[in-house]
Amino acid sequence: MKFSKQLQKIMQHFGLSTTELAEKILVPKATISHLISERNKPSLEFIMKLHTTFPTLNLEWLIYEKEPFLITDIYQNQTEKDQTETTVLNEILEVKTMNEIEKEDQIKIESEESESKNINQNITENQENILSFQSKEIDCIVIFYNDGSFKKYNP
């Protein structure tokens, strides 16, 4: 695309006439006319004035004709890309988190089952101890005092 077409696109986008553009960027009207008619090529100073006056213009588009035309389009495309990447990352993290929660739940269930087995085993052992204790007769009872003395009782 020739610079004359780029300049016309800028004027159309911002709704400016040749005179209005010249006044805005502080150049003679003839400069704009010569650029549009392709009599002259833009100077670096002219491009800098355009970019300073219209900071949303993509400088790479002005110099190299590299799309997009406006910087806001670059940010919008980057923002959309970032949002897509963020969404994908969030989905991955959500799946990972769900897997971790499932693993934690499974570990908790296994721990509770193990604890339940231990409790049942202890109850069974205590019942056996109580039954074996009940079948025996007491021979004597000894009480120890904190002063080192003791007393023995025989039934």
Side-chain angles (χ1 to χ4, degrees):
M1 175 185 301
K2 296 192 176 200
F3 190 77
S4 62
K5 299 286 184 197
Q6 288 176 284
L7 199 53
Q8 289 171 353
K9 186 173 182 175
I10 292 167
M11 291 186 331
Q12 181 184 9
H13 178 77
F14 292 104
L16 301 171
S17 67
T18 306
T19 307
E20 291 170 326
L21 179 62
E23 288 172 359
K24 255 195 178 315
I25 63 173
L26 306 172
V27 296
K29 181 182 172 196
T31 302
I32 305 292
S33 297
H34 291 176
L35 290 168
I36 289 175
S37 68
E38 298 179 12
R39 179 176 172 198
N40 295 342
K41 294 190 181 220
S43 66
L44 180 57
E45 182 182 352
F46 181 83
I47 290 176
M48 288 171 52
K49 284 184 177 185
L50 265 177
H51 189 258
T52 303
T53 306
F54 304 105
T56 58
L57 288 175
N58 181 4
L59 197 53
E60 288 186 351
W61 178 79
L62 281 172
I63 298 170
Y64 305 112
E65 301 173 19
K66 184 177 176 185
E67 292 291 336
F69 156 62
L70 298 173
I71 291 176
T72 54
D73 294 342
I74 293 171
Y75 291 130
Q76 184 176 0
N77 292 343
Q78 185 62 40
T79 301
E80 288 172 0
K81 183 180 173 188
D82 290 348
Q83 287 174 344
T84 303
E85 288 174 357
T86 300
T87 302
V88 168
L89 285 173
N90 284 340
E91 288 173 359
I92 290 170
L93 287 173
E94 189 174 315
V95 167
K96 188 174 181 180
T97 303
M98 290 301 292
N99 287 341
E100 289 173 355
I101 289 172
E102 288 173 1
K103 285 179 183 176
E104 288 174 1
D105 287 347
Q106 184 63 33
I107 290 171
K108 188 175 180 181
I109 289 170
E110 289 172 358
S111 172
E112 288 173 354
E113 287 175 352
S114 173
E115 197 173 301
S116 175
K117 285 179 185 176
N118 287 340
I119 289 172
N120 286 338
Q121 185 178 1
N122 286 342
I123 289 172
T124 305
E125 288 174 2
N126 284 341
Q127 285 176 342
E128 290 172 1
N129 287 340
I130 290 171
L131 290 174
S132 67
F133 181 73
Q134 288 176 347
S135 65
K136 296 182 180 182
E137 290 184 26
I138 298 175
D139 185 40
C140 74
I141 299 174
V142 180
I143 300 176
F144 294 93
Y145 298 100
N146 57 4
D147 66 353
S149 60
F150 65 90
K151 192 163 195 176
K152 183 177 179 182
Y153 296 96
N154 291 324

